[in-house]
Amino acid sequence: MKWLIRVVLAVVALALVFVGVGFLLPSQFHVERSVAINAPAEKVYALIVDPREWKRWTVWNQRDPAMKVEYAGPPSGVGAKWSWQSRTEGNGQMEFVEADPPNRLAYRLSFPEFGMQSKGLLRVVPDGAGVRVSWTNEGDMGSNPLNRWFGLMMDRLVGPDFEGGLANLKRLAESP
């Protein structure tokens, strides 16, 4: 019986340490990836400024072909938005909030189920004969210590998705 009490106390102590350390972690997260694309800025920008084009290059749509997507607002640029429902990728919504063709596109992303919002930016910068596209996303995980642990892992969780999406974007933009 003493060993059971010791095990329970050890588990409680570990949980308290986990939560305590969570309060000390930063609440902010930042994910960024980039790729060089041998294509004109206008061609690349056309693939990012229209939400309907995202399903051709983001990995999320490819991982769940059954994803339900609804579009609203203008077909592209500021105010263009879409929402999705997916068993594997979660439910969310995105809206373009700033557009500077063919240089940058800013968006707001939210996952209502998790109470999480973030903001992102795609920059298209001249680079030799083509462009360099940088994709960033950042947000605040709030004061919840468990969410802060999740924020600590955002780069490792989302970064590979950005890399895959940018590789697909490169393939599409460089194709004739």
Side-chain angles (χ1 to χ4, degrees):
M1 186 66 154
K2 283 186 176 183
W3 67 270
L4 182 60
I5 292 172
R6 287 183 181 160
V7 168
V8 169
L9 288 175
V11 168
V12 169
L14 284 174
L16 289 173
V17 167
F18 182 79
V19 170
V21 170
F23 278 114
L24 300 175
L25 294 174
S27 64
Q28 303 286 323
F29 71 87
H30 179 87
V31 179
E32 182 168 359
R33 298 294 190 274
S34 67
V35 67
I37 300 177
N38 190 18
E42 293 76 14
K43 185 175 183 182
V44 173
Y45 195 77
L47 293 168
I48 63 175
V49 74
D50 180 348
R52 288 161 185 83
E53 291 289 339
W54 282 53
K55 66 183 169 192
R56 295 179 61 203
W57 59 271
T58 62
V59 297
W60 306 304
N61 295 85
Q62 294 170 358
R63 279 199 300 250
D64 182 6
M67 181 183 290
K68 290 183 186 177
V69 179
E70 292 183 13
Y71 301 97
S76 65
V78 175
K81 52 184 143 182
W82 70 100
S83 60
W84 59 91
Q85 294 179 339
S86 168
R87 286 183 150 170
T88 61
E89 305 306 301
N91 302 331
Q93 46 200 1
M94 182 182 283
E95 179 178 0
F96 294 152
V97 294
E98 290 178 42
D100 177 20
N103 305 310
R104 56 182 270 137
L105 179 73
Y107 62 84
R108 185 174 42 245
L109 175 66
S110 67
F111 291 94
E113 294 173 329
F114 302 107
M116 186 186 132
Q117 287 197 350
S118 63
K119 59 183 181 177
L121 178 65
L122 286 141
R123 288 186 309 270
V124 181
V125 179
D127 184 31
V131 296
R132 174 159 292 279
V133 176
S134 297
W135 188 1
T136 62
N137 190 269
E138 57 191 21
D140 190 327
M141 301 306 282
S143 59
N144 182 319
L146 300 178
N147 286 351
R148 288 182 176 203
W149 280 103
F150 185 64
L152 187 65
M153 298 181 291
M154 285 298 278
D155 189 71
R156 283 177 279 184
L157 294 171
V158 178
D161 290 350
F162 279 20
E163 291 166 7
L166 289 171
N168 292 338
L169 181 64
K170 176 181 176 72
R171 182 183 43 77
L172 279 172
E174 291 180 349
S175 67

